[in-house]
Amino acid sequence: MDLFAGCGGFGLGLEQAGFTPIFVNELNDDARGTYIANRKDRHEHFARGLDESKWLNEFSSSDARKMVSKKGYLDGLQKLFKSEFEISHGEIDLIVGGPPCQGFSGIGHRRSYAVEKKILPSNHLYKDMAKIIGHLRPRAFVFENVRGLLTGRWTEEGNTGEIWKDVKNAFAGIGEYTLAAELVYAKNYGVAQNRPRVILVGVRHDVIGKAATTKAEAEHIDGTGISSGFLPKGAPGKAPNIVDVLGDLVDPDYKNGGSTTEYPSKAACETQRWFRTSADGSRLAGKGSPVTEHDYSKHHPDVIKKFKAMIRGGDFEATKKFAQRVLPTEWGPTGPSITATSLPDDYVHFEQPRTLTVREWARLQGFPDWYEFKGKRTTGGLRRAGNPLEGIHFRELPKYTQIGNAVPVPMAKAIGEHLASLLRKGRK
């Protein structure tokens, strides 16, 4: 089960690791539409009875809170799993979820409004995830979130780390699960980003053969994810460079504000061949084959002039954009130093005076080129930020934001492969 699934980065990585998604929960229609659109042809249950205008489906939900508050919903869901997949209570292998993280993010100064974290409804959705896990009793679960969660405070006068403590207590309170947690970095799992993420793993005590973690013990699980064997160590230094990730998409004839609809060159390395392989693995897109989502933003001439100066490394008028910089073609000794967020203009292309296209942004997160995205290309202002001070919590999720919010696919695959191995051992 994929809770707070967004556009499906975590889910896709788990599928690549051998898992089959049976249910998706995501509040935003466009993000949920992206998730289902990329699975309905591969998993028949996602296509059944599908209303593509609203993405309605019995194997999906838009609201985690209604899942736990609506009487009989989770019991009905378990009956559905039994009838459709012959999965009895307690036999779901894995539930994963990354509740919305805007309230915990370390880039809070980029938000339009600052409010106490305690009053943001989305900051309490981890409790709903814990309730769903407690009711369905999967063999394992994974909670994922941003690094800022580790030091977050509910109020300005609160204690550093109090939110993370409450999160750990909520999952330890389920009972019968052994917990471990780790701050991991995407660069150690074959991703062209640094991207730190907090991962909390719970494995049912009868599966792992270890005592369940109590609330008192949950205080001390930080840094135990890898050492306890619940998470893979990764392979530092294996992240591809930017040229390997994006080089074959460089169109020498691109137009400012235009689009490239065909691959301008053939794949030049294994990384590019992977991105260009079809979903079923049978075809490799060659030069001249169709490519989607490769549309360019239309920049003002002065912006283009500045971008050219940035690429050359010369002087230019300082930008007001947060941390806007040119993508490096080579990593330093510690590996990737970038993190793709919801803002596509954080980075300038390494060779051309422009920001990145949706397809390039998706590659930074490890999405293959066959993956399609629903909704607007981009948006801004209240539509993206909302206004919590006035009770406006709805946020649009355009394509760039969907991608920026996702769990990198290769990291999700590595976690999935590791957990699959643990669960297989637990069946013996």
Side-chain angles (χ1 to χ4, degrees):
M1 287 182 63
D2 213 334
L3 305 179
F4 316 104
C7 66
F10 208 157
L12 182 59
L14 292 175
E15 287 178 82
Q16 293 174 352
F19 288 91
T20 298
I22 59 173
F23 187 88
V24 58
N25 155 250
E26 168 53 44
L27 182 64
N28 182 268
D29 287 343
D30 289 332
R32 191 169 70 260
T34 295
Y35 190 103
I36 295 175
N38 288 283
R39 288 161 179 84
K40 63 180 183 178
D41 293 335
R42 296 183 292 118
H43 303 295
E44 187 272 338
H45 54 280
F46 281 126
R48 194 180 313 153
L50 188 66
D51 178 354
E52 294 204 20
S53 65
K54 296 182 179 179
W55 298 104
L56 298 177
N57 185 280
E58 61 184 330
F59 297 96
S60 70
S61 168
S62 63
D63 195 332
R65 290 195 159 179
K66 288 182 179 178
M67 290 173 65
V68 298
S69 63
K70 188 176 180 180
K71 186 177 180 180
Y73 184 93
L74 293 176
D75 287 333
L77 198 59
Q78 185 62 72
K79 291 179 181 177
L80 177 66
F81 295 157
K82 178 64 176 177
S83 64
E84 293 290 335
F85 309 110
E86 297 185 357
I87 295 175
S88 299
H89 184 262
E91 291 183 350
I92 296 173
D93 281 313
L94 186 63
I95 292 180
V96 300
C101 63
Q102 288 91 346
F104 307 135
S105 175
I107 56 173
H109 59 286
R110 297 170 68 184
R111 297 196 303 271
S112 299
Y113 306 94
V115 297
E116 295 284 21
K117 294 179 175 63
K118 190 172 184 178
I119 69 173
L120 290 175
S122 61
N123 285 349
H124 299 274
L125 287 171
Y126 67 90
K127 299 175 184 176
D128 299 279
M129 180 175 174
K131 289 178 182 177
I132 293 170
I133 292 169
H135 193 97
L136 297 177
R137 296 285 166 177
R139 302 177 74 226
F141 69 84
V142 178
F143 167 88
E144 173 271 337
N145 222 279
V146 295
R147 177 167 55 182
L149 178 63
L150 297 177
T151 55
R153 298 179 291 182
W154 287 120
T155 64
E156 189 174 345
E157 296 78 23
N159 297 317
T160 299
E162 63 184 356
I163 299 178
W164 176 229
K165 181 178 179 180
D166 287 349
V167 170
K168 290 186 289 186
N169 282 340
F171 287 106
I174 298 172
E176 299 182 357
Y177 284 88
T178 307
L179 307 182
E182 193 84 36
L183 177 65
V184 300
Y185 295 83
K187 65 183 180 182
N188 294 332
Y189 301 93
V191 181
Q193 293 185 64
N194 183 34
R195 202 174 187 87
R197 280 298 182 271
V198 175
I199 304 290
L200 187 154
V201 179
V203 183
R204 214 171 57 213
H205 71 102
D206 61 309
V207 174
I208 197 67
K210 295 182 180 180
T213 302
T214 65
K215 286 187 177 182
E217 293 167 336
E219 178 71 14
H220 309 290
I221 65 172
D222 294 18
T224 64
I226 294 174
S227 62
S228 68
F230 279 24
L231 286 169
K233 183 177 181 181
K238 298 297 184 181
N241 62 42
I242 289 296
V243 176
D244 283 348
V245 174
L246 304 180
D248 62 315
L249 294 176
V250 175
D251 183 353
D253 299 319
Y254 92 97
K255 298 292 190 296
N256 182 36
S259 62
T260 294
T261 59
E262 298 178 351
Y263 286 102
S265 63
K266 65 180 183 179
C269 63
E270 187 57 37
T271 297
Q272 295 168 11
R273 284 189 284 274
W274 184 89
F275 281 118
R276 292 164 66 152
T277 299
S278 61
D280 62 5
S282 65
R283 300 181 308 280
L284 173 66
K287 179 179 180 180
S289 297
V291 63
T292 61
E293 309 281 13
H294 206 20
D295 305 312
Y296 308 102
S297 296
K298 189 171 181 60
H299 300 301
H300 188 277
D302 289 344
V303 173
I304 294 176
K305 182 179 179 180
K306 179 184 69 176
F307 286 170
K308 287 181 177 179
M310 292 173 68
I311 293 170
R312 292 194 307 267
D315 295 330
F316 58 91
E317 183 179 351
T319 176
K320 294 181 181 179
K321 297 295 183 182
F322 172 84
Q324 191 174 56
R325 56 189 174 126
V326 177
L327 285 174
T329 55
E330 297 290 342
W331 307 124
T334 59
S337 56
I338 68 169
T339 294
T341 66
S342 62
L343 302 179
D345 50 0
D346 276 355
Y347 297 102
V348 177
H349 192 272
F350 61 93
E351 185 175 302
Q352 298 178 329
R354 59 176 179 82
T355 54
L356 301 188
T357 67
V358 167
R359 181 52 57 203
E360 290 168 327
W361 209 238
R363 280 198 179 188
L364 287 183
Q365 288 280 56
F367 285 99
D369 292 352
W370 57 261
Y371 210 84
E372 60 178 298
F373 300 92
K374 298 294 181 178
K376 297 179 181 178
R377 180 171 174 267
T378 187
T379 188
L382 282 176
R383 294 190 302 275
R384 183 171 64 199
N387 186 349
L389 292 176
E390 297 182 6
I392 303 174
H393 300 289
F394 174 78
R395 299 168 184 253
E396 284 189 354
L397 288 182
K399 295 176 181 180
Y400 283 107
T401 304
Q402 290 180 41
I403 296 166
N405 288 349
V407 174
V409 177
M411 184 170 78
K413 179 184 178 184
I415 293 172
E417 289 175 338
H418 191 83
L419 289 176
S421 177
L422 284 182
L423 295 178
R424 290 190 192 100
K425 291 179 181 178
R427 284 199 174 99
K428 295 179 180 179

